[in-house]
Amino acid sequence: MMKLNSTVYLYELLWVLPSLALPVGMFAVLLVTTFGAEIHLPGVEGRVDPNRVDSTAPFDQPGVVQLGPGQYEVHMVSQVWSFDPAEIRLPVGAEVTFVVTSSDVVHGLFIPYTHTNVMLLPGQTSRVTARFDQPGHFRFFCHEYCGLGHHTMSGEIVVEAQ
Ligand SMILES: [Cu+2]
């Protein structure tokens, strides 16, 4: 009788320990990615009056600005249901910071094959950096449902070989 009981406890222990190790391990992964790899939710990069986007720098002049050799900034405005600029031309190897806001409702900017995936909130500025090492045409999309024309809200980045 005693032997059976201790075997049962051993089996129980074998199940309990992994069930403790799993959440502890996941928490450790969370700490490493947050503080080690700095993967976290974006903070507030900047504020802009959503009613005055048209007349507030840098959104009064949407487009591509060259900051230095291979360094670019794209000032972009999203609205129902388009991006301004909708076509962006860059040389291959460009490192680009997208500075984007919305002048009406919540939109999103998703550029496949890059790490670019941000929400665009009216009143806030989103800032995200991507590198384009391959020539080609890269479509980008609004990925926050923003009304009837949401599925038509996209643009294109043309990366040109030097
Ligand atoms: Cu949208």
Side-chain angles (χ1 to χ4, degrees), residues 106-107 142 144 146 150 153:
V106 175
H107 296 285
C142 173
E144 292 287 336
C146 56
H150 166 67
M153 189 167 166

Side-chain angles (χ1 to χ4, degrees), residues 78-83 104-108 141-147 149-150 153:
S78 61
Q79 63 261 303
V80 283
W81 291 287
S82 62
F83 291 99
D104 41 42
V105 298
V106 175
H107 296 285
F141 305 92
C142 173
H143 65 353
E144 292 287 336
Y145 181 72
C146 56
H150 166 67
M153 189 167 166

